[in-house]
Amino acid sequence: MKYIRMGTSSNFGNMLTMALASVVLPFLPLTAVQVLLNNMLSDVPQVGIPFDHADASDVARPRGWDMAALVRFTLIMGPLSSLFDIATFVALTKLFDADVGTFRAAWFIESMATQILVVFVIRTRCRFWRDRPHPVLTLSALACLGLAIALPYLPFAALLGFEAPGAIILAAIALLVIVYLAAVEILKGMALAERDRAGAARIADSTEVGEAQSTSGFTAGLRPAHRQKRSATPRKGCVP
């Protein structure tokens, strides 16, 4: 479910960004080939997802399809991604006065960095530095990010429509990416907290029903009521 949230929020953010860019910019922020290349490189790290582990709280009890939680997460994380894309546009056009080729290369790098690195933040409900991902996921993600950064500097970059951005532009992109990841870490907790409270309420309701149906705390084949209540609470995989 967490990877579905990641995909939907990223796609929704990209849709918002392209819609706004088509109105504001006098050129396409990325060509069709660059968009396809972006999608391909951002999909490759998903190969490592099956090797990654799930949070203990996600497998402690059966979970149903929660569309409301998915929509809520998407509506928070999608516009956040677009906000930083717009900040990148403003910096490239107003601050650095980048030409079309440099603009596309810089935004391609920023887009790839945010899409790939955010995986490490939203893959877990814990603080991302406390829950290490599987090495396969880490290596595949960082390899694709390294290739995305290197593409505008390769000899055939002009064929892809890229012009190599300077060091100052790369530093600005790195700063924006760091701030974006910090914002995702903060809003991730806010987005998931409401879902947790709703889940806890459902657990409490089911526990109360079970206790109302029981005529005694100790009956044949049943555990005490207070032990039933404790066992209904999903165990935590980490401390947020």
Side-chain angles (χ1 to χ4, degrees):
M1 186 66 182
K2 56 186 175 182
Y3 294 108
I4 296 176
R5 291 197 301 265
M6 176 185 65
T8 54
S9 60
S10 176
N11 290 336
F12 182 61
N14 289 339
M15 180 190 69
L16 288 177
T17 300
M18 294 299 288
L20 292 172
S22 64
V23 174
V24 176
L25 296 177
F27 56 88
L28 291 175
L30 290 178
T31 65
V33 172
Q34 292 165 351
V35 170
L36 291 174
L37 186 61
N38 182 301
N39 289 336
M40 183 186 70
L41 289 179
S42 61
D43 286 343
V44 170
Q46 310 305 317
V47 174
I49 290 177
F51 298 92
D52 200 23
H53 64 272
D55 291 341
S57 59
D58 287 334
V59 296
R61 61 183 177 84
R63 291 180 177 271
W65 179 264
D66 193 345
M67 179 59 71
L70 177 61
V71 171
R72 182 175 58 250
F73 194 90
T74 300
L75 292 178
I76 292 175
M77 295 301 178
L80 177 65
S81 174
S82 294
L83 179 63
F84 280 86
D85 286 336
I86 293 172
T88 303
F89 291 172
V90 172
L92 291 174
T93 56
K94 303 299 183 182
L95 185 60
F96 299 110
D97 194 23
D99 57 44
V100 175
T102 303
F103 179 98
R104 287 171 173 166
W107 188 48
F108 179 85
I109 293 174
E110 185 268 348
S111 177
M112 290 299 306
T114 54
Q115 289 184 78
I116 290 177
L117 294 180
V118 77
V119 173
F120 299 109
V121 179
I122 64 177
R123 57 169 288 276
T124 177
R125 301 161 67 87
C126 310
R127 299 304 183 192
F128 71 90
W129 58 85
R130 295 179 180 175
D131 188 8
R132 295 182 180 179
H134 193 279
V136 174
L137 177 60
T138 302
L139 291 176
S140 60
L142 295 183
C144 288
L145 178 58
L147 178 58
I149 296 174
L151 277 176
Y153 301 93
L154 296 178
F156 54 83
L159 297 177
L160 299 174
F162 291 139
E163 292 290 337
I168 297 179
I169 293 180
L170 289 181
I173 290 174
L175 178 60
L176 285 170
V177 170
I178 291 173
V179 176
Y180 167 72
L181 295 176
V184 170
E185 179 64 33
I186 295 171
L187 293 180
K188 174 187 72 174
M190 295 172 59
L192 295 178
E194 186 175 350
R195 189 192 72 171
D196 288 342
R197 288 195 295 269
R202 289 194 296 269
I203 294 171
D205 290 342
S206 63
T207 302
E208 291 175 1
V209 171
E211 290 179 352
Q213 293 175 346
S214 177
T215 58
S216 172
F218 294 89
T219 56
L222 296 178
R223 292 173 294 177
H226 69 279
R227 291 182 62 189
Q228 291 177 354
K229 188 173 183 179
R230 283 202 302 267
S231 65
T233 304
R235 63 186 175 88
K236 301 295 183 181
C238 65
V239 178

